[in-house]
Amino acid sequence: MPAGAPRIFVSHLAGVPVFDPQGDQVGRVRDLVAMLRVGRRPPRLLGMVVEVLSRRRIFLPMTRVTGVESGQVITTGVLNMRRFEQRPTERLVLGELLDRRVRLVDTGEEVTVLDVSIQQLPARRDWEIDKVFVRKGKPGALRRKGAALTVEWSAVTGFSLEEHGQGAESLLATFEQLRPADLANVLHHLSPKRRAEVAAALDDDRLADVMEELPDDDQVEILGKLKEERAADVLEAMDPDDAADLLSELPEEEKERLLALMRPDDAADVRRLLSYEERTAGGLMTTEPIVLRPDATVADALARVRQQDLSPALAAQVYVCRPPDETPTGKYLGTVHFQRLLRDPPFTLVSSIVDTDLPPLSPNTPLSAVTSYLAAYNMVAAPVVDEIGSLLGAVTVDDVLDHLLPEDWRETDFEESLREESAHG
């Protein structure tokens, strides 16, 4: 829903059909999933519980919802068909928030929640519950004129998290704004029991981001305490190179069991990475760079670069290849750097501005040569191409640094080091 669109009351979404981009119905909305936050901050809407045609209830993240309008929900068409399982920090909006007795902050009067409204935040993909529709009077009392009113979420108390709340909920709400690397540092210093509780309460995408920043031992420990299907979900949400690094630490039998539970396409990417030596371009690369066909335009390239989930290193350049677009691609034609995209008109074909002088890496290039390559060409990412000219992936500078720094670098409180250096500067 575009920014500035009117808010939607969740009761209007119950039973609404869900369609893929081709217009085929994939299911119906049965509930919405929200995460409560400390104090009176509006809850974040995580996604929808969708009942698919087989009557299985699955989770549809709000990041994959492209439209909520005219009595229908439109998705990207990418659905995880595993059964929805509610987590400790999650609340079912229809099932747990409606009909709840809460109090108005100003008067202390007890009211009943009839509905809540959701709204997409401007210029972001995040959604929040922003309004609460309540009725005054005792439960079951007849409605009368003036008895119902709509108030801000912060104007009521009774279902938001309290500062002194126990369990992982308050802890997660406290750490919600932390970057993945900072939250990983917090988790590393928790007890194993507490670390497992917090990991279990994080959603898959957030846990995947944090896992990528944890030391190997912590990653293996956390993965081992998750149910196998959940562990496979988290591995799918991780970057393929990070998932491959984690799986390489596991016994062969456990590794194969988790790969079998992953989606075939995700598992194939990880298996390909596992086939290369760890300290080579093939072992370091990600299999998900930005790939464009020769007939794509600068406007197409910039649209891909703007995707907020991309790391700065991957967004620094696009790779022009013959079809197929996914790695391993058709013939690799060259690279177009972000700065060049900014200098040319939007209608320019990327094939006309491609840099063909930059030699690609082979998957067997050793780490020392990869490091020299990035330094010599002042690059933050480099293409990896096989012997028949197909693009296999890209090596980014952050992955190279992970293997150049001391093994315990993630355990260092680098923020404290920066503060000390600044104080003595």
Side-chain angles (χ1 to χ4, degrees):
M1 185 173 67
R7 65 179 53 89
I8 301 166
F9 281 92
V10 297
S11 61
H12 298 164
L13 293 176
V16 163
V18 179
F19 295 92
D20 64 19
Q22 285 71 45
D24 295 323
Q25 184 175 340
V26 295
R28 289 187 177 275
V29 177
R30 294 306 180 200
D31 213 322
L32 293 91
V33 183
M35 183 177 72
L36 301 185
R37 300 197 258 197
V38 168
R40 298 175 187 170
R41 295 179 60 200
R44 178 183 168 212
L45 191 67
L46 302 178
M48 300 178 177
V49 180
V50 175
E51 184 176 276
V52 294
L53 301 182
S54 63
R55 303 196 66 79
R56 175 189 293 264
R57 294 196 173 193
I58 66 170
F59 179 69
L60 172 63
M62 292 307 293
T63 53
R64 295 181 180 175
V65 173
T66 57
V68 182
E69 55 193 27
S70 302
Q72 63 183 10
V73 172
I74 308 297
T75 77
T76 59
V78 181
L79 294 178
N80 187 332
M81 298 305 292
R82 289 199 175 95
R83 193 179 302 278
F84 168 71
E85 291 185 8
Q86 188 177 354
R87 300 195 179 127
T89 53
E90 296 173 350
R91 294 292 180 269
L92 297 177
V93 179
L94 297 174
E96 298 181 58
L97 300 189
L98 302 195
D99 298 315
R100 191 183 183 105
R101 295 290 285 174
V102 295
R103 292 186 182 276
L104 297 176
V105 173
D106 291 342
T107 64
E109 182 179 4
E110 197 171 46
V111 294
T112 301
V113 178
L114 302 178
D115 211 345
V116 297
S117 69
I118 59 173
Q119 192 169 40
Q120 190 174 21
L121 301 181
R124 295 173 62 185
R125 294 189 299 172
D126 289 347
W127 294 66
E128 285 185 347
I129 295 176
D130 64 338
K131 301 280 187 180
V132 186
F133 183 54
V134 300
R135 183 178 66 234
K136 296 182 179 180
K138 296 180 180 180
L142 293 174
R143 299 187 185 187
R144 61 187 185 277
K145 187 175 181 180
L149 67 156
T150 301
V151 297
E152 298 287 340
W153 176 270
S154 59
V156 297
T157 183
F159 41 38
S160 58
L161 297 175
E162 301 298 332
E163 296 285 355
H164 59 273
Q166 299 298 308
E169 294 176 322
S170 291
L171 185 62
L172 285 177
T174 302
F175 297 150
E176 184 187 0
Q177 301 304 318
L178 292 181
R179 291 176 180 270
D182 297 328
L183 181 52
N185 190 45
V186 171
L187 257 65
H188 175 69
H189 291 93
L190 295 175
S191 67
K193 176 179 179 296
R194 195 71 174 128
R195 186 158 51 238
E197 291 170 348
V198 173
L202 290 168
D203 64 65
D204 291 347
D205 290 338
R206 179 71 159 160
L207 179 56
D209 289 342
V210 172
M211 291 272 279
E212 292 171 2
E213 305 296 338
L214 282 168
D216 293 345
D217 290 347
D218 288 346
Q219 291 186 38
V220 172
E221 173 198 300
I222 290 172
L223 198 72
K225 292 182 178 179
L226 299 176
K227 292 181 179 180
E228 286 192 340
E229 283 201 352
R230 172 93 202 277
D233 288 343
V234 173
L235 287 167
E236 289 171 357
M238 294 176 69
D239 288 339
D241 53 323
D242 291 305
D245 288 344
L246 174 51
L247 285 170
S248 68
E249 301 289 329
L250 302 180
E252 190 67 24
E253 183 179 341
E254 184 179 352
K255 177 176 68 177
E256 287 300 322
R257 195 162 55 243
L258 289 171
L259 282 167
L261 288 171
M262 293 173 65
R263 287 192 295 262
D265 288 349
D266 293 321
D269 284 343
V270 174
R271 287 184 188 279
R272 183 148 46 91
L273 291 170
L274 287 168
S275 69
Y276 298 109
E277 292 293 329
E278 181 182 1
R279 297 173 71 85
T280 63
L284 294 169
M285 70 182 178
T286 176
T287 57
E288 298 177 342
I290 302 176
V291 178
L292 292 172
R293 298 185 181 189
D295 58 354
T297 65
V298 166
D300 296 327
L302 290 174
R304 294 285 300 278
V305 166
R306 289 192 193 100
Q307 294 177 7
Q308 65 179 32
D309 293 338
L310 284 174
S311 69
L314 281 180
Q317 55 211 42
V318 300
Y319 303 96
V320 182
C321 306
R322 299 289 182 191
D325 301 344
E326 295 183 355
T327 57
T329 67
K331 182 176 176 57
Y332 167 72
L333 301 179
T335 300
V336 181
H337 306 282
F338 176 66
Q339 285 183 319
R340 181 62 191 267
L341 293 174
L342 294 177
R343 291 197 295 264
D344 283 86
F347 53 80
T348 305
L349 295 180
V350 291
S351 56
S352 68
I353 56 173
V354 70
D355 182 354
T356 57
D357 295 331
L358 187 69
L361 298 170
S362 80
N364 297 317
T365 305
L367 175 61
S368 58
V370 174
T371 305
S372 299
Y373 178 100
L374 293 175
Y377 293 108
N378 295 316
M379 303 289 289
V380 294
V384 181
V385 174
D386 65 13
E387 66 279 0
I388 63 172
S390 297
L391 180 72
L392 300 176
V395 178
T396 59
V397 67
D398 53 321
D399 290 322
V400 172
L401 285 174
D402 276 349
H403 288 75
L404 293 179
L405 291 167
E407 289 187 5
D408 63 347
W409 76 268
R410 294 187 186 278
E411 303 178 31
T412 304
D413 191 341
F414 52 87
E415 287 192 348
E416 184 64 30
S417 300
L418 289 174
R419 285 194 291 268
E420 289 179 3
E421 183 177 339
S422 177
H424 291 90

